Amino acid sequence: MIIRTMEPKDVKVIAGLEKVCFSDPWSENSIASELENRLSYWLVAEVDGDVVGYIGSQSVLDGADMMNLAVAPEFRRQGIAEALVNALVAYLQQKGILALLLEVRASNVPAIALYERLGFEQVGRRPNYYRHPREDALIMRKELTI
């Protein structure tokens, strides 16, 4: 597996993974616009030359929000999501970011378990944050130390 920075050639594949992994996916245009956003940082995971996962973030001042994390269903439970989060954290630490926040569906037990294992703690809840289906989001935070 190779983890690298997202490139324009990855946008179409990421948009496809969004449709497979999420009930309210980002559009190809929204993903492409992240390449132009100087506050954004996205990584992809490749296996045998194919993009099988990605993670995106936006940073403001000394904090960052994890925007998206997805792995193709047939590649899950192989450590790819964990590797993506760890690579993002390492990059953010280098940039002087002190904390990483994310929202996760309250029912997404596997993702919550992953985030807890990686040192995230629940710090809040956003009622009815998600649509399709409507569901609360848990807000999780990880303090980044250098």
Side-chain angles (χ1 to χ4, degrees), residues 6-22:
M6 178 176 75
E7 300 173 6
K9 68 179 182 176
D10 303 318
V11 170
K12 190 175 287 294
V13 174
I14 291 171
L17 284 171
E18 278 278 314
K19 290 176 185 170
V20 169
C21 297
F22 299 113

Side-chain angles (χ1 to χ4, degrees), residues 60-129:
V60 177
L61 301 175
D62 62 359
D65 289 315
M66 186 188 304
M67 309 300 289
N68 305 57
L69 171 62
V71 174
E74 62 273 24
F75 286 91
R76 291 182 184 160
R77 307 200 63 75
Q78 296 178 31
I80 294 170
E82 183 171 345
L84 284 164
V85 173
N86 286 334
L88 176 64
V89 165
Y91 170 82
L92 295 172
Q93 286 174 320
Q94 281 184 325
K95 294 296 179 187
I97 301 298
L98 301 178
L100 178 59
L101 286 165
L102 62 85
E103 289 93 5
V104 60
R105 282 187 181 272
S107 65
N108 192 343
V109 174
I112 293 166
L114 169 68
Y115 297 139
E116 287 176 342
R117 191 170 68 249
L118 294 175
F120 287 82
E121 296 179 352
Q122 183 180 337
V123 295
R125 188 177 195 102
R126 294 190 200 281
N128 299 314
Y129 179 78

Side-chain angles (χ1 to χ4, degrees), residues 31-39:
I31 295 162
S33 72
E34 292 296 295
L35 288 166
E36 306 302 320
N37 185 341
R38 63 181 184 79
L39 302 177

